[in-house]
Amino acid sequence: MHRIQHDMNKTILITGATSGFGKAIATRFAQEGYTVCIAGRREERLAELKNALEKQYSVKVITLAFDIRDRKQVEDAINKLKTQVTDIDILVNNAGLASGLATIDEGDIDDWEAMIDTNLKGLLYVTRQIAPMMRARATGHIINIGSTAGKQVYKNGNVYCATKFAVDALNQAMRIDLLPYGIKVTAINPGMAETEFSLVRFHGDEERAKNMYTGINALQADDIANIAWYCATLPPHVCINDLTVTCLTQATSVYAIKEAERVKPLLS
Ligand code: NDP
Ligand code: 8X3
């Protein structure tokens, strides 16, 4: 397939770039010469990543430390960013979390609020700042990181799934609203992936987090970074609207097997 050459003068903004998918996406695009704007709350991690990427790939890296749940912090950070860069070519709405895994009658309301405020309202706050910049230039690409959890609900997933169903709805809505402006909108919906996601979900319980991925050969952050790069480098007239990706041993939100359960290929 025809692929466009990458443009060295492009700028990407990635939320949730201090770990997991966001960090891998930042690294992938830095490797390709992009100016990379990395956001997250953990300033030390942002500074470390900036140093590493600038050193390794000789690109410009801008850090934005803010809590995406705080509308004022988001607005201030992006207003400051506007003094540092003229355009944002790609926005990756990635920052998010699952917090807890409990039935609807027992869930912790603080967990619910953290997920709704981050995964849904935070994504909206950032998009509301960046979409007008893209609209003014009649070009751009918004990549929303959804989830298989936004396609099919699973036991105890209730509020996390609801936020990801909302991301799915917003992805479709953005595609429609931004259609006249030539802005691409893409949802990447990963299944189980080995990042800090489960450590956060289980409130720092390392053992429980590790067990989630034992024996399934889960997706890795680099897999999603490569997919984001693929989506971003298709010809100008091609837009992937919605892409669901799992590891080989996972079919849906609720059907997954261990590697050991796989039927081995017959020897030829
Ligand atoms: P990680 O926990 O590794 O990364 C999450 C990122 O989100 C961190 O950089 C974190 O930065 C940022 N973040 C969380 N809360 C806030 C906040 N309040 N303000 C600003 N940034 C915040 O997990 P993943 O990389 O796996 O998750 C990235 C996205 O992918 C999430 O939206 C998640 O729902 C989704 N996803 C994950 C899957 C998985 O199995 N791993 C599968 C499908 C989707 P910091 O803490 O520094 O603020
Ligand atoms: C993360 C994938 O299945 O843990 O969105 O909800 S799952």
Side-chain angles (χ1 to χ4, degrees):
M1 185 199 286
H2 167 73
R3 308 296 299 273
I4 56 168
Q5 288 292 311
H6 69 257
D7 182 338
M8 300 296 280
N9 298 316
K10 286 194 168 180
T11 301
I12 185 169
L13 167 60
I14 304 149
T15 66
T18 56
S19 74
F21 299 160
K23 184 177 178 183
I25 293 168
T27 306
R28 186 72 178 85
F29 281 75
Q31 194 184 330
E32 302 290 348
Y34 271 62
T35 294
V36 178
C37 311
I38 50 175
R41 287 166 301 181
R42 287 170 287 183
E43 290 188 47
E44 277 169 31
R45 285 199 183 195
L46 290 173
E48 267 171 38
L49 185 59
K50 174 180 161 73
N51 287 340
L53 296 182
E54 285 182 343
K55 207 167 175 185
Q56 193 164 1
Y57 303 115
S58 305
V59 290
K60 185 172 175 184
V61 179
I62 297 169
T63 62
L64 298 90
F66 62 81
D67 187 330
I68 206 166
R69 295 171 295 182
D70 184 323
R71 183 170 156 186
K72 172 97 173 42
Q73 281 190 37
V74 174
E75 287 171 3
D76 288 350
I78 293 181
N79 281 336
K80 185 173 169 208
L81 179 65
K82 285 176 188 166
T83 67
Q84 295 167 292
V85 298
T86 43
D87 306 320
I88 299 292
D89 297 284
I90 303 176
L91 163 64
V92 184
N93 279 320
N94 165 75
L97 80 166
S99 194
L101 189 67
T103 56
I104 204 78
D105 50 309
E106 290 186 337
D108 181 330
I109 293 177
D110 287 338
D111 281 341
W112 294 355
E113 287 185 338
M115 291 186 278
I116 293 165
D117 291 351
T118 310
N119 303 356
L120 180 49
K121 290 169 72 179
L123 178 146
L124 285 169
Y125 296 157
V126 174
T127 304
R128 183 62 183 83
Q129 294 298 312
I130 302 299
M133 295 171 72
M134 293 181 173
R135 186 187 59 203
R137 295 170 59 222
T139 186
H141 194 168
I142 299 175
I143 299 178
N144 294 308
I145 305 296
S147 172
T148 46
K151 297 290 181 182
Q152 186 185 31
V153 175
Y154 56 84
K155 190 166 182 282
N156 296 330
N158 42 63
V159 177
Y160 177 67
C161 294
T163 64
K164 290 298 179 177
F165 269 72
V167 172
D168 188 18
L170 286 171
N171 186 74
Q172 294 179 47
M174 286 181 203
R175 181 82 181 97
I176 295 167
D177 292 351
L178 301 176
L179 195 59
Y181 307 106
I183 298 169
K184 295 187 185 187
V185 181
T186 299
I188 300 176
N189 302 298
M192 285 185 285
E194 208 166 353
T195 62
E196 293 180 12
F197 177 84
S198 288
L199 191 63
V200 172
R201 164 167 258 174
F202 300 130
H203 304 301
D205 184 336
E206 287 183 14
E207 193 63 26
R208 198 172 170 200
K210 212 170 124 221
N211 284 342
M212 284 297 297
Y213 307 110
T214 307
I216 64 159
N217 200 4
L219 292 173
Q220 301 296 314
D222 283 347
D223 298 323
I224 301 306
N226 286 327
I227 289 166
W229 177 249
Y230 176 80
C231 293
T233 51
L234 288 165
H237 68 289
V238 181
C239 179
I240 294 183
N241 300 320
D242 189 276
L243 185 156
T244 295
V245 52
T246 64
C247 62
L248 187 59
T249 52
Q250 181 178 15
T252 70
S253 258
V254 292
Y255 289 109
I257 58 170
K258 299 282 183 192
E259 272 287 339
E261 295 171 71
R262 272 180 60 196
V263 176
K264 300 286 172 265
L266 292 174
L267 292 173
S268 54

